[in-house]
Short mmCIF file of all heavy atoms in Angstrom, two decimals:
data_model
loop_
_atom_site.label_atom_id
_atom_site.label_comp_id
_atom_site.label_asym_id
_atom_site.label_seq_id
_atom_site.Cartn_x
_atom_site.Cartn_y
_atom_site.Cartn_z
N SER A 73 37.29 -139.96 -77.75
CA SER A 73 36.46 -138.75 -77.68
C SER A 73 35.42 -138.81 -76.58
O SER A 73 34.72 -137.85 -76.32
CB SER A 73 35.77 -138.52 -79.03
OG SER A 73 34.89 -139.60 -79.28
N ASN A 74 35.33 -139.97 -75.94
CA ASN A 74 34.36 -140.14 -74.86
C ASN A 74 32.91 -140.01 -75.33
O ASN A 74 32.06 -139.41 -74.66
CB ASN A 74 34.65 -139.12 -73.76
CG ASN A 74 34.40 -139.70 -72.38
OD1 ASN A 74 34.03 -140.88 -72.27
ND2 ASN A 74 34.56 -138.90 -71.36
N ALA A 75 32.64 -140.54 -76.51
CA ALA A 75 31.27 -140.51 -77.04
C ALA A 75 30.44 -141.55 -76.30
O ALA A 75 30.93 -142.64 -76.01
CB ALA A 75 31.28 -140.81 -78.53
N ASP A 76 29.17 -141.23 -76.00
CA ASP A 76 28.38 -142.28 -75.32
C ASP A 76 27.46 -143.04 -76.26
O ASP A 76 26.76 -143.96 -75.82
CB ASP A 76 27.64 -141.76 -74.07
CG ASP A 76 27.17 -140.34 -74.15
OD1 ASP A 76 27.12 -139.80 -75.28
OD2 ASP A 76 26.86 -139.76 -73.11
N ALA A 77 27.43 -142.67 -77.53
CA ALA A 77 26.61 -143.42 -78.48
C ALA A 77 27.21 -143.32 -79.88
O ALA A 77 27.97 -142.39 -80.18
CB ALA A 77 25.18 -142.90 -78.47
N ILE A 78 26.85 -144.28 -80.74
CA ILE A 78 27.28 -144.25 -82.15
C ILE A 78 26.06 -144.38 -83.04
O ILE A 78 25.24 -145.28 -82.86
CB ILE A 78 28.27 -145.41 -82.47
CG1 ILE A 78 29.57 -145.24 -81.69
CG2 ILE A 78 28.54 -145.50 -83.97
CD1 ILE A 78 30.65 -146.27 -81.99
N HIS A 79 25.94 -143.45 -84.00
CA HIS A 79 24.89 -143.60 -85.02
C HIS A 79 25.56 -144.12 -86.29
O HIS A 79 26.47 -143.48 -86.80
CB HIS A 79 24.20 -142.27 -85.28
CG HIS A 79 22.88 -142.44 -85.99
ND1 HIS A 79 22.78 -143.17 -87.16
CD2 HIS A 79 21.63 -142.03 -85.71
CE1 HIS A 79 21.51 -143.20 -87.55
NE2 HIS A 79 20.78 -142.51 -86.67
N PRO A 80 25.10 -145.27 -86.83
CA PRO A 80 25.77 -145.85 -87.99
C PRO A 80 25.24 -145.38 -89.34
O PRO A 80 25.81 -145.72 -90.37
CB PRO A 80 25.49 -147.35 -87.82
CG PRO A 80 24.11 -147.37 -87.21
CD PRO A 80 24.02 -146.16 -86.32
N GLY A 81 24.12 -144.60 -89.34
CA GLY A 81 23.54 -144.19 -90.62
C GLY A 81 22.99 -145.38 -91.39
O GLY A 81 22.41 -146.28 -90.78
N TYR A 82 23.18 -145.39 -92.73
CA TYR A 82 22.80 -146.57 -93.54
C TYR A 82 24.04 -147.05 -94.29
O TYR A 82 25.00 -146.31 -94.45
CB TYR A 82 21.65 -146.25 -94.50
CG TYR A 82 21.88 -145.07 -95.42
CD1 TYR A 82 22.77 -145.16 -96.50
CD2 TYR A 82 21.22 -143.87 -95.23
CE1 TYR A 82 22.98 -144.09 -97.35
CE2 TYR A 82 21.42 -142.78 -96.09
CZ TYR A 82 22.31 -142.91 -97.13
OH TYR A 82 22.53 -141.84 -97.97
N GLY A 83 23.98 -148.28 -94.80
CA GLY A 83 25.17 -148.84 -95.47
C GLY A 83 26.26 -149.12 -94.43
O GLY A 83 25.98 -149.20 -93.23
N PHE A 84 27.50 -149.23 -94.88
CA PHE A 84 28.66 -149.49 -94.00
C PHE A 84 28.32 -150.46 -92.85
O PHE A 84 27.93 -151.60 -93.13
CB PHE A 84 29.25 -148.17 -93.47
CG PHE A 84 29.83 -147.31 -94.56
CD1 PHE A 84 29.47 -145.97 -94.72
CD2 PHE A 84 30.75 -147.83 -95.46
CE1 PHE A 84 30.01 -145.18 -95.73
CE2 PHE A 84 31.31 -147.05 -96.49
CZ PHE A 84 30.92 -145.73 -96.60
N LEU A 85 28.39 -149.99 -91.58
CA LEU A 85 28.24 -150.93 -90.46
C LEU A 85 26.81 -150.97 -89.89
O LEU A 85 26.57 -151.61 -88.87
CB LEU A 85 29.23 -150.56 -89.35
CG LEU A 85 30.71 -150.72 -89.74
CD1 LEU A 85 31.61 -150.08 -88.69
CD2 LEU A 85 31.06 -152.20 -89.91
N ALA A 86 25.88 -150.30 -90.57
CA ALA A 86 24.53 -150.15 -90.01
C ALA A 86 23.83 -151.49 -89.76
O ALA A 86 23.00 -151.60 -88.87
CB ALA A 86 23.68 -149.28 -90.92
N GLU A 87 24.16 -152.51 -90.57
CA GLU A 87 23.46 -153.79 -90.41
C GLU A 87 24.44 -154.90 -90.03
O GLU A 87 24.22 -156.06 -90.35
CB GLU A 87 22.71 -154.13 -91.68
CG GLU A 87 21.54 -153.18 -91.91
CD GLU A 87 20.86 -153.40 -93.24
OE1 GLU A 87 20.04 -154.33 -93.33
OE2 GLU A 87 21.15 -152.67 -94.20
N ASN A 88 25.50 -154.52 -89.35
CA ASN A 88 26.50 -155.50 -88.92
C ASN A 88 26.25 -155.82 -87.44
O ASN A 88 26.55 -155.01 -86.56
CB ASN A 88 27.90 -154.91 -89.14
CG ASN A 88 29.00 -155.88 -88.78
OD1 ASN A 88 28.85 -156.65 -87.83
ND2 ASN A 88 30.09 -155.82 -89.51
N PRO A 89 25.69 -157.01 -87.15
CA PRO A 89 25.35 -157.33 -85.77
C PRO A 89 26.58 -157.37 -84.85
O PRO A 89 26.48 -157.04 -83.67
CB PRO A 89 24.68 -158.72 -85.85
CG PRO A 89 25.03 -159.26 -87.18
CD PRO A 89 25.34 -158.11 -88.07
N ASP A 90 27.74 -157.76 -85.41
CA ASP A 90 28.96 -157.79 -84.60
C ASP A 90 29.33 -156.39 -84.11
O ASP A 90 29.73 -156.21 -82.96
CB ASP A 90 30.14 -158.38 -85.40
CG ASP A 90 29.87 -159.82 -85.79
OD1 ASP A 90 29.06 -160.48 -85.08
OD2 ASP A 90 30.44 -160.28 -86.79
N PHE A 91 29.19 -155.43 -85.02
CA PHE A 91 29.50 -154.05 -84.64
C PHE A 91 28.57 -153.58 -83.52
O PHE A 91 29.01 -153.00 -82.53
CB PHE A 91 29.41 -153.12 -85.86
CG PHE A 91 29.71 -151.68 -85.55
CD1 PHE A 91 30.96 -151.31 -85.07
CD2 PHE A 91 28.74 -150.69 -85.72
CE1 PHE A 91 31.25 -149.98 -84.78
CE2 PHE A 91 29.03 -149.36 -85.42
CZ PHE A 91 30.28 -149.00 -84.95
N ALA A 92 27.27 -153.85 -83.69
CA ALA A 92 26.31 -153.44 -82.67
C ALA A 92 26.64 -154.11 -81.33
O ALA A 92 26.56 -153.48 -80.27
CB ALA A 92 24.89 -153.79 -83.11
#
Side-chain angles (χ1 to χ4, degrees):
S73 63
N74 216 1
D76 33 17
I78 295 184
H79 197 308
Y82 55 72
F84 296 127
L85 295 169
E87 292 174 81
N88 182 325
D90 297 336
F91 179 62

